[in-house]
Amino acid sequence: MEHYDVLVIGAGFAGAVTAGELARRAGKRVLVLEKRGHIGGNAYDCLDEHGVLIHQYGPHIFHTNDRRVFDYLSQYTKWRRYQHRVIADLPRDNTEAVPAHKHTDGRFCFPVPFNLGSLENAFGAKEGKRLGEKLLAAYPAQSQVTILELRQNEDPEIAAIAEYVYEHVFVHYTMKQWGQRPEEIDPATTARVPVRLSRDDRYFQDAYQGMPLEGYTPIFEKILDHPNITVALETDARDRLELRDGKILLDGAGFDGPVIFTGALDEFFGLRFGRLPYRTLDFRFETYDKQFFQTHATVNYTVDEEFTRITEFKHLTGQRLEDRVTTIVKEYSKPYTGASGEVPYYAIINGENNVLYAKYKAEADKYPALHLLGRLAEYKYYNMDAIVGRALALADQLTGA
């Protein structure tokens, strides 16, 4: 049997970056076990049957303030300049709105996060400008103010803006995304929802933003393209790995090197303490005989519709096709059950679930060579850049850098 120095479970950003760095920096021989039939984890992208480059597991937009992460990934890709802009699509209510982005009859749109431009979309140019001037008189320009702060303002019109954002941007969308009733939504989360006191309608404000010029999958191919790295696809780590009495066995033999685990920790330990709750997503792809389906890459449906948002990939990728064709994806959120084909995307983080995770973490801690890395293994929410940063930090630790 071939000898390996390091075992990595999962070929998403967490696993691939760690494997690539240990192979290149320290000359380690690394075995990567990946349960799916492809590398790239949830960032995997590919051409659909119509030739449109799609993100198979939902849209991934790169943004970071971490220069090290940006420089690291720039070794493996050139970038398409792209700044993400999102609009909310709502049924028109009794507000006298004059929408800047008319979407369909009887509906109107405004940018999210909610900003000064959104005020004018929602309330009309004249009234929106007046309300914006009130906000700028009360709070510093270019800042962000939370719903909680707005609600506590003594001016009833400013407090009413908070209620409008809560009702039209936050509460119904959150109910769909997390399967909660309004009274179940953590008030602390509601309080943090921002209103931007500027006309900056970018969804992210990070220093480095863009999309990989050729897509995400080629990044992973380049990172894992090293003679010291072996990738085994369609391989469930539980079929080859065993944890027994503080020792780790690979294919029945003792394994002494580091093991980087990036999968679901509860499933790795056979759900012995019960399943950790997650939300999953049902992606429904649709293709249309037109150049573009919508005006923006992502349109959030914050009040009605069963799905949370629609993403159109050509806006993200800048792909040009000779044929008039475009592919969109609608996202439907639902509880994760562990059924075949489901993917756990979002940990439901609360006190009770943290206690349950701590039991699994205590089991993992019995194996000093086992390193937990990533959303599933750590039961936390991380953006892509944060995962890359954590993988680089783990590589630093394991190589003594």
Side-chain angles (χ1 to χ4, degrees), residues 221-345:
E221 292 172 344
K222 293 171 185 174
I223 291 174
L224 294 170
D225 183 15
H226 191 279
N228 283 357
I229 299 176
T230 300
V231 179
L233 299 177
E234 298 182 334
T235 303
D236 191 328
R238 291 173 296 182
D239 295 335
R240 298 187 59 178
L241 203 64
E242 185 180 357
L243 305 182
R244 184 195 306 164
D245 300 326
K247 296 181 180 179
I248 300 175
L249 284 73
L250 174 64
D251 297 331
F255 186 82
D256 298 326
V259 177
I260 293 89
F261 180 76
T262 71
L265 195 58
D266 56 344
E267 294 180 358
F268 189 55
F269 283 102
L271 306 177
R272 67 178 61 171
F273 304 119
R275 184 176 294 282
L276 282 166
Y278 288 90
R279 297 291 287 181
T280 188
L281 296 170
D282 180 13
F283 295 110
R284 300 184 190 177
F285 294 86
E286 299 175 1
T287 300
Y288 292 88
D289 179 20
K290 55 176 64 178
Q291 287 294 347
F292 287 101
F293 177 83
Q294 59 192 25
T295 59
H296 290 62
T298 298
V299 177
N300 289 355
Y301 288 78
T302 56
V303 173
D304 58 350
E305 303 292 356
E306 292 183 13
F307 50 84
T308 55
R309 61 182 180 175
I310 296 177
T311 295
E312 185 172 14
F313 297 104
K314 285 167 63 178
H315 285 295
L316 296 176
T317 64
Q319 185 184 22
R320 297 177 181 270
L321 295 172
E322 292 184 5
D323 296 333
R324 279 173 46 91
V325 63
T326 189
T327 298
I328 66 167
V329 65
K330 296 177 180 177
E331 297 182 33
Y332 297 79
S333 178
K334 62 183 183 180
Y336 175 71
T337 66
S340 176
E342 286 187 352
V343 177
Y345 288 106

Side-chain angles (χ1 to χ4, degrees), residues 75-237:
Q75 300 175 88
Y76 300 104
T77 186
K78 294 181 179 179
W79 297 98
R80 173 181 181 249
R81 295 185 65 181
Y82 175 79
Q83 304 221 339
H84 196 47
R85 287 173 169 84
V86 177
I87 57 174
D89 182 296
L90 304 90
R92 186 184 299 279
D93 57 16
N94 57 6
T95 56
E96 293 297 325
V98 182
H101 302 292
K102 186 172 181 181
H103 208 50
T104 57
D105 290 341
R107 304 185 70 85
F108 74 102
C109 302
F110 55 70
V112 289
F114 203 85
N115 57 43
L116 297 180
S118 305
L119 271 176
E120 295 177 13
N121 286 58
F123 296 99
K126 183 177 179 180
E127 180 67 2
K129 182 179 179 182
R130 186 185 71 82
L131 291 172
E133 289 172 349
K134 269 202 165 189
L135 286 174
L136 291 173
Y139 304 98
Q142 307 300 319
S143 65
Q144 292 194 152
V145 59
T146 66
I147 281 184
L148 178 61
E149 292 174 277
L150 293 177
R151 278 176 165 167
Q152 293 175 338
N153 194 290
E154 294 180 357
D155 188 317
E157 288 190 318
I158 290 180
I161 293 172
E163 298 309 317
Y164 185 91
V165 174
Y166 175 80
E167 178 67 22
H168 291 80
V169 177
F170 177 75
V171 66
H172 300 286
Y173 190 89
T174 302
M175 288 164 61
K176 288 192 290 184
Q177 182 72 5
W178 295 101
Q180 295 177 309
R181 298 187 301 274
E183 61 270 21
E184 295 174 321
I185 297 171
D186 184 356
T189 301
T190 307
R192 292 192 297 269
V193 174
V195 173
R196 287 182 182 163
L197 301 187
S198 73
R199 293 183 177 275
D200 186 347
D201 63 349
R202 297 175 302 161
Y203 197 76
F204 306 113
Q205 296 181 310
D206 301 65
Y208 307 101
Q209 302 184 40
M211 296 293 293
L213 192 60
E214 297 177 348
Y216 284 100
T217 300
I219 295 177
F220 292 94
E221 292 172 344
K222 293 171 185 174
I223 291 174
L224 294 170
D225 183 15
H226 191 279
N228 283 357
I229 299 176
T230 300
V231 179
L233 299 177
E234 298 182 334
T235 303
D236 191 328

